[in-house]
Amino acid sequence: MAPLNRQAGAVLLVSLVMLLLLTLIGLAGMRLASLEERIAGNQRDREVAFQAAEAALRAGELAARDFVRRGRADASVYEHREEVQLAGFAYADSAELARQPGYRLKFLRLLGNEGLEVGKGQSSYGVALEVRAVGYGFRQQPSGEPVSSVRLNSIYFVR
């Protein structure tokens, strides 16, 4: 019979292997959490850019309507550009954005009675304008360029 005080160290070896496995699992979990954090940050930045572009698009449509109502809906509107200062922006002050959102108006054409009000017996005269808007998120690259941007277009018809 072998003496009881003689140990081969198997418990130490098994515990070190288990500790190594737990460390690898912990590191993998940390990397996954870090990746999910970056994904959530990028998604938030893109949502901010989308909302800024949407606000700029609405401001551009209002400007297009004002141009038409003031009688300036012709080639003078062609390539009208403007930056938008967003008041009451959902996330924060618009001054915190990487770049201010903006819109561009482009005169497309005067529209005559071309069946736009089919079946209503009314004539449909008006102006078609293209509104292009761009919005940016909060974060910037080291070069100063915004990390995320969203571009939206609409064709706006004003009577």
Side-chain angles (χ1 to χ4, degrees), residues 16-30:
L16 286 176
V17 168
M18 293 296 286
L19 184 61
L20 178 65
L21 288 175
L22 288 174
T23 302
L24 291 175
I25 291 171
L27 288 174
M30 285 175 39

Side-chain angles (χ1 to χ4, degrees), residues 4-77:
L4 293 177
N5 61 0
R6 235 178 121 221
Q7 298 178 3
V11 173
L12 179 62
L13 183 61
V14 169
S15 63
L16 286 176
V17 168
M18 293 296 286
L19 184 61
L20 178 65
L21 288 175
L22 288 174
T23 302
L24 291 175
I25 291 171
L27 288 174
M30 285 175 39
R31 283 188 62 182
L32 182 63
S34 174
L35 177 65
E36 288 176 354
E37 182 83 18
R38 287 192 315 212
I39 289 171
N42 288 339
Q43 186 173 1
R44 177 181 179 267
D45 204 46
R46 183 165 182 330
E47 287 296 321
V48 167
F50 179 78
Q51 289 184 11
E54 183 103 21
L57 187 70
R58 298 298 166 240
E61 289 173 350
L62 287 175
R65 187 183 66 197
D66 290 344
F67 272 115
V68 171
R69 292 195 175 154
R70 283 185 276 155
R72 291 185 55 205
D74 55 9
S76 67
V77 179

Side-chain angles (χ1 to χ4, degrees), residues 18-154:
M18 293 296 286
L19 184 61
L20 178 65
L21 288 175
L22 288 174
T23 302
L24 291 175
I25 291 171
L27 288 174
M30 285 175 39
R31 283 188 62 182
L32 182 63
S34 174
L35 177 65
E36 288 176 354
E37 182 83 18
R38 287 192 315 212
I39 289 171
N42 288 339
Q43 186 173 1
R44 177 181 179 267
D45 204 46
R46 183 165 182 330
E47 287 296 321
V48 167
F50 179 78
Q51 289 184 11
E54 183 103 21
L57 187 70
R58 298 298 166 240
E61 289 173 350
L62 287 175
R65 187 183 66 197
D66 290 344
F67 272 115
V68 171
R69 292 195 175 154
R70 283 185 276 155
R72 291 185 55 205
D74 55 9
S76 67
V77 179
Y78 186 74
E79 296 296 326
H80 174 78
R81 296 171 186 254
E82 192 169 325
E83 282 189 350
V84 178
Q85 297 295 323
L86 301 176
F89 192 52
Y91 281 97
D93 217 5
S94 66
E96 295 178 12
L97 296 175
R99 190 180 296 165
Q100 292 301 311
Y103 65 85
R104 186 176 76 191
L105 300 179
K106 182 178 176 184
F107 174 78
L108 294 177
R109 59 183 271 189
L110 293 171
L111 298 172
N113 191 1
E114 298 175 356
L116 296 174
E117 296 283 331
V118 175
K120 292 190 176 181
Q122 301 175 2
S123 61
S124 301
Y125 297 98
V127 178
L129 297 157
E130 180 182 26
V131 182
R132 291 184 179 181
V134 62
Y136 303 97
F138 291 131
R139 298 183 312 127
Q140 294 181 357
Q141 296 176 358
S143 65
E145 289 296 311
V147 170
S148 60
S149 65
V150 173
R151 299 179 193 293
L152 299 174
N153 295 340
S154 73

